[in-house]
């Protein structure tokens, strides 16, 4: 297993376009998290899944954001009608909740630039 | 009020110094606590978990005060390689919440 994989690593798009990011977690991990990070800030929680169930979604997240994890393995994060304020690094992380500690392993992130 | 608050710094210290970072959290139902380290342009990585009794890992010591909802990280004998951003993380019913991060710069 090569860790958490995110694609694409970089995405430049025009305002109003839709973008989709994919995350492949560590195979034995049952939890998958999405975060957004901007310069000088810590990762901001967006949503998380346990297996295929989306357990929590940030109230700060607009309806333009949606995430899925259809088979409890990989996940996608879609942003519709992108705005310049969506420019950020989108981080995915996975963990194994049964271990008790719920330690996150992050991917390298997908950097979004909205022009 | 933010759920997890940290002094963003930066903390500029000479090699060999001892430095302490503090963190407070707002929800008393928080279950577990961590410090993560993030190098420039890299993803966060676990530094250490924080236990109620306090715990040490080499030059790093973490403390938790549940009554005050306060977490600390002490770094002794700072090395140049300790330069990074240190993120305080709180687990609230499965949701892991990060603080803003505290930036440390260790200088020769």
């Amino acid at each position: 297993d090569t860790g958490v994989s995110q694609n694409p690593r970089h995405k430049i798009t025009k305002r109003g376009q839709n973008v989709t990011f994919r995350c492949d977690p560590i195979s034995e991990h049952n939890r998958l998290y999405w975060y957004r990070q901007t310069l000088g800030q810590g990762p901001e929680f967006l949503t998380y899944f346990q297996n295929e169930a989306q357990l929590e979604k940030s109230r700060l997240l607009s309806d333009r954001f949606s995430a899925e994890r259809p088979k409890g393995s990989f996940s996608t994060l879609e942003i519709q009608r992108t705005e310049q304020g969506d420019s950020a690094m989108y981080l995915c992380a996975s963990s194994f909740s049964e271990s008790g500690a719920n330690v996150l392993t992050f991917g390298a992130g997908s950097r979004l630039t909205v022009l | 009020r933010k759920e997890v608050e940290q002094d963003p710094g930066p903390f500029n210290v000479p090699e060999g110094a001892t430095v302490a970072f503090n963190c407070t959290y707002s929800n008393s139902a928080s279950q577990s606590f961590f410090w993560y380290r993030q190098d420039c342009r890299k993803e966060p990585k676990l530094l250490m978990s924080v236990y109620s009794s306090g715990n040490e890992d080499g030059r790093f010591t973490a403390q938790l005060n549940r009554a005050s909802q306060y977490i600390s990280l002490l770094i002794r004998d700072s090395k140049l390689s300790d330069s990074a951003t240190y993120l305080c993380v709180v687990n609230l019913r499965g949701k892991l919440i990060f603080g803003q991060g505290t930036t440390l710069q260790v200088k020769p």
Side-chain angles (χ1 to χ4, degrees):
Chain A
D1 192 286
T2 57
V4 178
S5 176
Q6 291 189 244
N7 288 287
R9 293 291 308 278
H10 303 275
K11 178 71 176 178
I12 300 173
T13 192
K14 293 183 179 179
R15 190 175 51 191
Q17 299 295 305
N18 298 344
V19 296
T20 299
F21 300 117
R22 175 178 170 127
C23 174
D24 288 90
I26 292 172
S27 56
E28 60 266 29
H29 284 182
N30 59 343
R31 284 190 176 171
L32 187 149
Y33 294 76
W34 285 101
Y35 289 87
R36 175 172 63 190
Q37 188 173 27
T38 54
L39 194 63
Q41 300 298 314
E44 176 191 6
F45 173 83
L46 296 179
T47 189
Y48 86 99
F49 295 84
Q50 178 153 316
N51 301 313
E52 64 275 9
Q54 187 172 20
L55 295 190
E56 188 163 347
K57 181 176 175 180
S58 171
R59 284 183 292 241
L60 300 175
L61 213 57
S62 81
D63 291 341
R64 297 184 297 106
F65 287 71
S66 62
E68 293 183 341
R69 195 183 183 199
K71 298 181 180 179
S73 57
F74 75 91
S75 176
T76 57
L77 175 70
E78 182 183 17
I79 309 173
Q80 296 181 324
R81 304 181 302 282
T82 52
E83 302 173 356
Q84 288 186 324
D86 297 332
S87 295
M89 177 71 84
Y90 289 84
L91 292 165
C92 175
S94 67
S95 70
F96 182 57
S97 63
E98 307 310 319
S99 70
N102 201 25
V103 171
L104 298 179
T105 301
F106 279 87
S110 293
R111 181 169 296 281
L112 174 65
T113 301
V114 181
L115 302 176
Chain B
R1 182 184 174 188
K2 289 184 180 178
E3 292 176 287
V4 180
E5 295 204 57
Q6 296 182 249
D7 178 350
F11 284 61
N12 294 300
V13 303
E15 270 187 293
T18 295
V19 61
F21 304 139
N22 302 321
C23 170
T24 57
Y25 58 96
S26 61
N27 196 318
S28 60
S30 299
Q31 298 156 297
S32 53
F33 309 88
F34 309 89
W35 285 99
Y36 277 68
R37 170 188 169 135
Q38 187 171 26
D39 293 307
C40 189
R41 299 183 184 279
K42 297 286 190 180
E43 70 274 18
K45 292 185 179 178
L46 178 70
L47 177 67
M48 59 196 299
S49 300
V50 186
Y51 303 116
S52 296
S53 55
N55 50 300
E56 191 173 302
D57 182 2
R59 297 180 294 106
F60 298 83
T61 301
Q63 297 276 355
L64 167 65
N65 184 324
R66 285 189 182 268
S68 302
Q69 296 177 198
Y70 171 93
I71 306 161
S72 66
L73 177 68
L74 183 76
I75 305 175
R76 292 183 300 278
D77 188 22
S78 299
K79 312 291 185 190
L80 294 175
S81 58
D82 293 334
S83 297
T85 296
Y86 292 83
L87 297 158
C88 176
V89 184
V90 169
N91 181 5
L92 179 61
R93 293 185 286 271
K95 172 182 168 182
L96 283 100
I97 307 164
F98 284 72
Q100 178 182 0
T102 299
T103 299
L104 173 66
Q105 185 68 45
V106 182
K107 298 188 179 298

